[in-house]
Amino acid sequence: MLTIRGVLLERQAIAQRVEALGRQIAADLQAEGDRLQARGQAPGPIVMVPVLTGALVFTADLIRAMGVKMSIRPVTLSSYPGKSTTSQGVTVQGGVPTDLAGARVVIVDDILDSGRTLGLLRRLISAQNPQSVRLAVLLDKQKAAGRDEDVSVEYAGFVIADEFVVGYGLDFDGYYRNLPDICTMHDDGKPEA
Ligand code: IMP
Ligand code: MG
């Protein structure tokens, strides 16, 4: 059974980093808007696309650090059904917007792991011909053997080792998302209840 082992990233460190990330993304969008306007092009609307449910907490903090006009279009994808701690292949469960042509899209997820989720989503969104697409993740999990899909993200809060973490939106079997800190887990060897 997996139980909480300890704190990997404390809430204060997360808050500081997310605030900085939000300000950076907003500044980059502002600069992009200025560049487009200088070329006589109208900057498209900013659309945040959080991947539910994991990106819920991260997005709530990130968008309040951005201070730009935006809309939010959450999507639901799942790759870790139930008690699994490794990716089982991505399924789209709903809500992928189909009207992103000309928009400036920021896809937000909790963690980049196998790369399948964000790889799929970037393809689905890029195919709609948006003005720009950026990926922002709170955590970038290092994979010694490489990712299933080699996705590069424009923004990452923290690089972490290849271990399963929960809290600040991340779950195990649907639980622990409300932990304020990001925690590692310990397997006591007993079967899951
Ligand atoms: P990927 O498609 O393997 O990159 O998986 C990304 C998704 O898997 C994330 O959106 C998370 O929901 C989930 N995930 C990956 N690693 C972890 C973890 O360590 N804890 C909790 N969820 C994770
Ligand atoms: Mg997720």
Side-chain angles (χ1 to χ4, degrees):
M1 197 168 85
L2 286 180
T3 54
I4 301 294
R5 186 173 66 207
V7 174
L8 179 69
L9 297 167
E10 287 186 347
R11 63 200 79 180
Q12 295 86 347
I14 299 171
Q16 252 183 26
R17 184 69 187 117
V18 172
E19 168 98 34
L21 220 46
R23 279 194 262 109
Q24 190 192 339
I25 298 171
D28 291 352
L29 286 164
Q30 184 67 52
E32 179 186 60
D34 294 346
R35 273 198 310 277
L36 287 162
Q37 248 154 3
R39 283 194 252 126
Q41 271 174 276
I46 296 170
V47 182
M48 305 296 289
V49 179
V51 183
L52 298 183
T53 305
L56 185 70
V57 180
F58 174 38
T59 305
D61 287 339
L62 187 72
I63 57 178
R64 287 178 292 168
M66 288 177 62
V68 295
K69 188 176 177 188
M70 62 167 71
S71 58
I72 305 168
R73 304 287 296 280
V75 301
T76 305
L77 303 185
S78 176
S79 64
Y80 279 44
K83 296 180 171 62
S84 50
T85 56
T86 55
S87 177
Q88 306 293 307
V90 188
T91 52
V92 177
Q93 302 190 314
V96 179
T98 53
D99 56 352
L100 297 173
R104 297 191 288 151
V105 179
V106 183
I107 301 171
V108 185
D109 206 356
D110 49 3
I111 187 164
L112 174 65
D113 183 26
S114 74
R116 291 179 186 173
T117 303
L118 292 175
L120 174 69
L121 201 51
R122 199 200 272 269
R123 280 194 300 282
L124 290 174
I125 287 176
S126 297
Q128 298 177 37
N129 208 14
Q131 201 168 46
S132 62
V133 183
R134 294 174 166 79
L135 295 185
V137 296
L138 179 67
L139 304 175
D140 174 352
K141 206 188 259 193
Q142 293 302 93
K143 307 295 268 189
R147 301 190 199 282
D148 294 348
E149 183 165 348
D150 191 15
V151 179
S152 60
V153 296
E154 283 74 13
Y155 307 97
F158 301 91
V159 174
I160 65 165
D162 190 3
E163 64 180 329
F164 198 79
V165 293
V166 295
Y168 197 74
L170 292 124
D171 74 305
F172 171 63
D173 196 22
Y175 295 103
Y176 305 118
R177 295 194 195 275
N178 57 320
L179 290 178
D181 308 304
I182 291 177
C183 299
T184 52
M185 306 212 64
H186 163 76
D187 191 346
D188 64 11
K190 297 188 193 126
E192 288 298 328

